Amino acid sequence: MQRFETYLTENLPKVPSFHPIYEDALGVMLEAGGKRFRPMLLLSIVDAYEPMLYNSSLPVALAIEMLHTYSLIHDDLPAMDNADLRRGHPTLHKRYDEVTAILAGDALNTEAFYLIAKAPLREDVKIKLVELLARDGGSRGMVLGQAIDCYFENKPLDLEQIKTLHTNKTAKLIAVSLQMGAVIVGLEKKIQDELYAFGIDLGLLFQIQDDIIDETQSEEEAGKTTGIDADKNSFVNLLGLDETVAQADALAKDLQRRFEDFDEKLQTALQPLMNKYLHRHN
């Protein structure tokens, strides 16, 4: 992923103006690190099937990371989670102010689609990528999940509703990262669908693990504000810690089984991620 990290550093949004902090604000949360999980999923697929398209896919991978970062910036705002810490750094509204954080999030959201539109890929491929990212990153996906999360704070949901919440808020952007990689390399629809379904469950596992981290780790260990899920509809709040860990283990085993049905190239592409993330709560 060093290639991606270098690409990101060299392609932070450049918008020179007489505004003293605007350009810095657009790049600071991108540079603050993070797992780069979503771009890694996309680039792993591209690298496995069409390594010649890797460099052309970097702007698309960065677009996904920008959209994800915008969602974190807005998620941390006083109106939502009111968090002080993200990726081990002060959140954007703490570093600057609330207006700057809102506008930086807005800017990264639209910058993502600008990057895809300008990528050196075929026009029909780029239109499909824009469609997929808009579908799962917008009103039908991540934004819906965030809306449910905020509206139903202090109002307990059942397990299926919590799964719907987190499928939209977290899992769809992870699933679509895999699907967008598959679109770039021209994998057939059936494999795209299998990858997407796998990504949804991988995203749910990610969220369950995140709930466990929120419950069991300090802010220093997690690198972000923890302990803020007390009023939220989290798996831990509904099921308790032991049952949540059991659910995570069951989901991880199911994902491992499905992973073993993928073709050799896909397995090679995703193996490092499986090793790193499948059992990260243990």
Side-chain angles (χ1 to χ4, degrees):
M1 285 306 288
Q2 195 49 52
R3 281 157 81 185
F4 175 74
E5 212 57 51
T6 303
Y7 180 82
L8 179 145
T9 305
E10 290 171 355
N11 290 275
L12 294 170
K14 302 273 193 299
V15 194
S17 76
F18 59 84
H19 193 297
I21 56 171
Y22 177 72
E23 194 175 69
D24 289 344
L26 298 186
V28 73
M29 285 314 291
L30 284 165
E31 281 195 295
K35 292 179 287 287
R36 313 300 194 206
F37 186 54
R38 292 150 193 82
M40 201 158 36
L41 291 173
L42 182 145
L43 291 170
S44 297
I45 301 287
V46 173
D47 200 41
Y49 288 93
E50 298 283 354
M52 297 291 284
L53 288 175
Y54 190 94
N55 285 347
S56 302
S57 304
L58 284 168
V60 185
L62 181 53
I64 292 175
E65 187 67 7
M66 279 185 176
L67 196 91
H68 172 57
T69 303
Y70 122 73
S71 75
L72 302 181
I73 292 168
H74 280 191
D75 194 28
D76 289 335
L77 286 168
M80 299 208 203
D81 281 359
N82 196 20
D84 296 346
L85 200 64
R86 171 71 71 174
R87 294 174 170 170
H89 296 265
T91 47
L92 218 53
H93 64 274
K94 282 285 175 188
R95 181 188 288 262
Y96 302 112
D97 53 55
E98 208 175 332
V99 170
T100 302
I102 292 167
L103 292 173
D106 292 344
L108 289 175
N109 183 351
T110 43
E111 184 76 8
F113 295 98
Y114 183 72
L115 274 182
I116 295 174
K118 301 281 282 182
L121 294 164
R122 279 200 341 247
E123 299 295 318
D124 58 321
V125 169
K126 293 194 290 190
I127 288 169
K128 188 66 183 175
L129 295 174
V130 166
E131 176 199 324
L132 292 174
L133 189 58
R135 180 194 70 189
D136 284 357
S139 60
R140 294 164 180 77
M142 188 175 73
V143 177
L144 170 62
Q146 180 70 341
I148 293 171
D149 197 20
C150 292
Y151 188 83
F152 289 94
E153 207 168 309
N154 298 309
K155 297 176 191 146
L157 300 175
D158 63 33
L159 186 58
E160 278 313 303
Q161 289 173 321
I162 289 178
K163 281 187 177 169
T164 300
L165 186 173
H166 291 300
T167 295
N168 282 285
K169 184 178 173 182
T170 301
K172 282 186 176 178
L173 198 58
I174 287 169
V176 87
S177 300
L178 287 167
Q179 188 181 359
M180 288 167 74
V183 165
I184 291 170
V185 299
L187 295 184
E188 61 184 82
K189 179 85 167 66
K190 178 175 173 289
I191 297 173
Q192 282 187 37
D193 291 346
E194 283 173 11
L195 265 176
Y196 186 82
F198 180 83
I200 290 289
D201 282 346
L202 186 62
L204 277 177
L205 176 63
F206 229 65
Q207 184 58 50
I208 294 170
Q209 291 173 339
D210 214 49
D211 288 357
I212 293 166
I213 286 167
D214 189 82
E215 185 72 13
T216 59
Q217 289 193 3
S218 69
E219 294 190 355
E220 289 70 32
E221 290 171 306
K224 63 180 180 180
T225 304
T226 57
I228 54 173
D229 285 355
D231 301 325
K232 293 266 183 187
N233 277 291
S234 78
F235 290 96
V236 172
N237 287 347
L238 181 71
L239 302 172
L241 187 59
D242 290 348
E243 176 58 26
T244 303
V245 170
Q247 287 258 343
D249 286 337
L251 193 49
K253 283 192 179 72
D254 183 52
L255 282 164
Q256 183 64 40
R257 183 187 54 74
R258 284 151 67 188
F259 170 78
E260 286 161 9
D261 289 340
F262 286 148
D263 74 26
E264 198 177 332
K265 278 184 177 171
L266 258 187
Q267 286 197 30
T268 305
L270 298 177
Q271 186 67 59
L273 302 166
M274 301 294 282
N275 295 346
K276 190 167 182 181
Y277 294 111
L278 220 51
H279 302 287
R280 70 184 181 138
H281 61 277
N282 292 347

